């Protein structure tokens, strides 16, 4: 004979209901956030603090993760596909070789550190202007960058324009590529203009260069067999595609550094912001007539942590919708909520 014993579930205690009510209710209720911070242990506030600091950073982390070296020419190439492909063909025909050894780019020219003029110039047949200049150097990169980005030329020519006035419109700066022994750099300028394109590419290094082939041989790919054929434009897409792969490879380290720095910087900023809001709550309740005058600095910090969770969620959602402003939404919404909490619930009086 068997007996069935029915287990009786104990009803949830009133305290547990209140705690859960404070935790979930604090999402929309400032009073619940205050009550929860006062009544629940500090580890609950620490969880809210950690989530509040981390959640708003997620859109920026995703944005950085989805960025790659060739992103600067995703929407428009600024004719770099045509000019850089032609430069590659011509440099290869001229026997100019670039080899990556020990994470450094080597050029077959004697004393390459003395190179101040380009190793290739692409001149537009219609405008008679430089569309692209390619440089190589193992010297001071900053000096070469400054030189190339301040070398003016007269419109319709390849003639140097020395010391033009700021308002002079008869000048331009050609786009240029620097094949430096430490990395690859691309600087784009608008056609027949000295206005730089904001999306120019600052490549990093050759640490992730994924080939033992000579650089131009790798870039040209299947077009190598037709290097002496005048009709090789059909390979432009492949050649430029290989350059984009190299842009991506050289950007890997920079991407990792940007991801790390962005995450740590905003973690620090948001953590400091939440703590500052806690300090502000403490100061605003110091008035002798304020009924919350008894709140300690620790409790005020806990209130700020509890109140930060909802702004963090809102900031994260809006950050995915408007990626360029991702980090601002949390700051704005948190400031609004804390001020509303102080003015309505804590009512500072002096």
């Amino acid at each position: 004979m068997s007996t069935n014993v029915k287990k009786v579930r104990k009803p949830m205690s009133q305290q547990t209901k209140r705690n859960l009510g404070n935790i979930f209710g604090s999402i929309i209720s400032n009073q619940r956030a205050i009550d929860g911070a006062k009544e629940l242990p500090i580890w609950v506030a620490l969880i809210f603090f950690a989530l509040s600091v981390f959640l708003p950073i997620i859109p920026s982390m995703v944005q950085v993760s989805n960025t790659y070296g060739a992103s600067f020419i995703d929407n428009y190439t600024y004719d770099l596909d045509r000019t850089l492909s032609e430069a590659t063909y011509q440099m290869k025909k001229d026997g100019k070789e670039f080899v990556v050894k020990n994470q450094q780019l080597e050029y077959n020219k004697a004393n390459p550190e003395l190179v101040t003029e380009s190793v290739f110039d692409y001149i537009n047949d219609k405008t008679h202007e430089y569309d692209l200049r390619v440089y190589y150097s193992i010297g001071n990169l900053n000096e070469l960058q400054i030189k190339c980005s301040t070398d003016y030329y007269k419109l319709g020519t390849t003639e140097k324009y020395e010391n033009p006035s700021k308002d002079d419109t008869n000048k331009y700066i050609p786009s240029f590529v620097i094949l430096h022994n430490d990395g690859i750099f691309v600087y784009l300028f608008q056609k027949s203009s000295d206005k730089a394109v904001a999306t120019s590419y600052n490549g990093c290094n050759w640490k992730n260069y994924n080939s033992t082939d000579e650089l131009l041989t790798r870039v040209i790919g299947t077009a190598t067999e037709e290097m002496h054929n005048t009709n090789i434009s059909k390979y432009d897409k492949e050649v430029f595609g290989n350059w984009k792969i190299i842009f991506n490879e050289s950007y890997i380290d920079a991407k990792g550094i940007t991801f790390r720095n962005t995450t740590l910087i905003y973690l620090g900023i948001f953590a400091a912001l939440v703590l500052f809001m806690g300090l502000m709550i403490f100061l605003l309740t110091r008035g002798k007539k304020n009924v919350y005058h008894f709140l300690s600095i620790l409790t005020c910090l806990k209130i700020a942590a509890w109140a930060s969770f909802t702004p963090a969620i809102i900031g994260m959602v809006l950050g995915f919708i408007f990626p360029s402003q991702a980090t601002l939404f949390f700051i704005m919404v948190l400031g609004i909520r804390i001020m509303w909490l102080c003015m309505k619930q804590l009512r500072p009086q002096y």
Side-chain angles (χ1 to χ4, degrees):
M1 182 177 179
S2 62
T3 58
N4 294 325
V5 180
K6 187 176 182 180
K7 295 183 179 180
V8 179
R9 300 180 62 182
K10 293 182 179 181
M12 185 181 296
S13 68
Q14 291 300 315
Q15 186 60 48
T16 302
K17 289 182 179 179
R18 178 170 175 77
N19 291 341
L20 290 176
N22 285 334
I23 291 173
F24 291 101
S26 65
I27 295 176
I28 59 174
S29 170
N30 288 334
Q31 189 59 54
R32 288 282 196 173
I34 295 171
D35 293 341
K38 290 163 53 181
E39 298 171 11
L40 272 73
I42 190 172
W43 61 264
V44 180
L46 290 175
I47 292 175
F48 275 121
F49 176 76
L51 291 174
S52 299
V53 169
F54 179 72
L55 291 178
I57 305 175
I58 293 178
S60 297
M61 295 170 64
V62 172
Q63 187 177 22
V64 173
S65 297
N66 291 335
T67 303
Y68 47 93
S71 295
F72 76 108
I73 42 178
D74 269 352
N75 299 322
Y76 188 64
T77 65
Y78 306 94
D79 283 339
L80 191 63
D81 52 342
R82 174 177 56 86
T83 57
L84 189 55
S85 296
E86 180 61 32
T88 305
Y89 298 139
Q90 193 58 52
M91 286 190 294
K92 185 64 178 176
K93 284 184 178 180
D94 294 342
K96 298 174 180 177
E97 295 186 350
F98 302 87
V99 181
V100 177
K101 293 181 179 179
N102 300 319
Q103 301 177 357
Q104 297 280 305
L105 185 68
E106 298 180 2
Y107 177 41
N108 66 352
K109 182 181 177 70
N111 299 322
E113 69 276 7
L114 301 179
V115 173
T116 56
E117 292 303 319
S118 63
V119 293
F120 177 79
D121 296 325
Y122 184 94
I123 300 175
N124 191 305
D125 293 335
K126 296 180 179 179
T127 64
H128 307 292
E129 299 172 356
Y130 290 125
D131 274 0
L132 180 71
R133 307 197 78 187
V134 181
Y135 296 82
Y136 173 82
S137 177
I138 64 174
N140 189 305
L141 177 62
N142 290 332
E143 289 182 3
L144 183 57
Q145 290 173 331
I146 293 172
K147 175 187 180 300
C148 295
S149 58
T150 56
D151 275 350
Y152 293 94
Y153 296 85
K154 292 183 179 180
L155 286 180
T157 72
T158 57
E159 181 183 348
K160 270 280 190 70
Y161 198 172
E162 301 293 345
N163 302 319
S165 66
K166 182 178 180 180
D167 299 328
D168 192 341
T169 59
N170 189 39
K171 64 182 186 299
Y172 74 98
I173 299 176
S175 298
F176 60 91
V177 176
I178 298 178
L179 299 174
H180 194 265
N181 69 311
D182 289 330
I184 180 171
F185 304 83
V186 181
Y187 295 81
L188 302 175
F189 289 82
Q190 297 177 17
K191 295 292 183 183
S192 302
S193 171
D194 59 352
K195 295 181 179 179
V197 175
T199 53
S200 296
Y201 170 69
N202 291 310
C204 283
N205 52 53
W206 303 99
K207 292 181 180 179
N208 297 284
Y209 180 78
N210 190 24
S211 177
T212 57
D213 292 337
E214 186 269 331
L215 178 66
L216 299 183
T217 299
R218 176 193 173 185
V219 171
I220 289 174
T222 57
T224 305
E225 297 178 358
E226 296 194 17
M227 282 307 303
H228 299 290
N229 187 331
T230 57
N231 184 25
I232 56 176
S233 60
K234 63 180 181 179
Y235 292 104
D236 285 356
K237 185 176 181 180
E238 176 187 347
V239 171
F240 192 59
N242 290 335
W243 273 115
K244 291 169 72 174
I245 292 174
I246 293 176
F247 293 155
N248 293 338
E249 290 174 352
S250 68
Y251 187 70
I252 290 174
D253 277 14
K255 180 177 178 178
I257 293 171
T258 301
F259 184 89
R260 180 197 65 197
N261 292 346
T262 299
T263 302
L264 293 178
I265 288 171
Y266 282 111
L267 279 175
I269 291 174
F270 292 161
L273 179 64
V274 175
L275 296 176
F276 173 77
M277 291 300 176
L279 178 61
M280 188 173 71
I281 293 173
F282 177 74
L283 294 176
L284 289 174
T285 55
R286 293 309 90 193
K288 293 181 179 180
K289 296 181 180 181
N290 192 300
V291 295
Y292 288 97
H293 182 76
F294 65 90
L295 293 178
S296 67
I297 181 66
L298 179 60
T299 302
C300 292
L301 292 173
K302 289 167 63 179
I303 293 173
W306 276 67
S308 298
F309 182 63
T310 299
I313 295 176
I314 296 174
M316 180 182 66
V317 173
L318 292 178
F320 280 116
I321 299 174
F322 306 101
S324 62
Q325 306 295 327
T327 55
L328 296 179
F329 293 117
F330 173 63
I331 298 173
M332 294 169 54
V333 179
L334 176 60
I336 293 172
R337 184 173 194 188
I338 294 297
M339 291 305 298
W340 182 263
L341 180 149
C342 291
M343 296 299 108
K344 294 297 182 180
Q345 269 69 37
L346 300 181
R347 296 182 296 279
Q349 299 177 29
Y350 302 95

